[in-house]
Amino acid sequence: MKYVIELVEYLLGFMALTVFSVLAFRSVTPTDATWRTAFIVGGALAAVELAVLLFRSRPANRLILGANAWLMGGAVAFVTKQWWILQVYDRWQAAGLVGCMLGAGLIATVVSRAGFVAVEGERWKVLAASLLLIAATGGLLWYVLVATGPIYAVLVAPLTALALLARVLRIWVDSTGPNISGPNT
């Protein structure tokens, strides 16, 4: 039951990004107004998600933190009419989103005991899992920079796989494993 609750929490964590995607890509050719609405609504949901994530006792999912930072940055840029920021967003597109996730992971790996995987455990496990997740996120960044095709094939499916990898790594770090020191120790 514990893992079911965690899975639901995990999936709800990407709610802001999901709502943003639905709003942004509901038409074949998004307009400036479509992007504005998607970023403002997605950014507002991201701020709410961020508040919830930061008030929990467990470390926040770094992929979600990175995605929420990207959404909030876009929302703030639209609201404050910082067109130069929006030009950067337009140029980098999906790579900007993945880059924010990678940045959140790198920072968390350096400054947090929970690392990129967002779970405290044996330090070597946290570092190994975080480095693997950094490599996978870097690979995804490269992929979205060179891939062409529909957004679902270029970003959604690979990002879902990355989120699942992060979840598997979190479970691995959190597992205690067999007691190799012998009985009653």
Side-chain angles (χ1 to χ4, degrees), residues 25-44:
F25 300 108
R26 66 179 180 236
S27 66
V28 175
T29 309
T31 64
D32 289 345
T34 305
W35 287 115
R36 178 182 175 82
T37 300
F39 269 109
I40 290 174
V41 171

Side-chain angles (χ1 to χ4, degrees), residues 36 39-40 72-87:
R36 178 182 175 82
F39 269 109
I40 290 174
M72 291 184 299
V76 168
F78 267 110
V79 169
T80 61
K81 299 180 180 174
Q82 298 299 312
W83 308 123
W84 66 275
I85 294 173
L86 295 172
Q87 288 174 339

Side-chain angles (χ1 to χ4, degrees), residues 62-63 95 97-106 116 129-144 158-159 162-163 165-166 169:
R62 306 333 185 188
L63 294 172
L97 169 64
V98 177
C100 282
M101 291 175 167
L102 182 59
L106 288 167
F116 196 173
S130 293
L131 292 174
L132 181 59
L133 197 52
I134 286 168
T137 308
L140 178 57
L141 178 58
W142 171 82
Y143 176 73
V144 298
L159 188 55
L162 183 67
L165 173 63
L169 291 171

Side-chain angles (χ1 to χ4, degrees), residues 54-66:
L54 294 179
F55 284 107
R56 295 180 352 176
S57 60
R58 291 191 320 248
N61 180 315
R62 306 333 185 188
L63 294 172
I64 294 170
L65 290 179

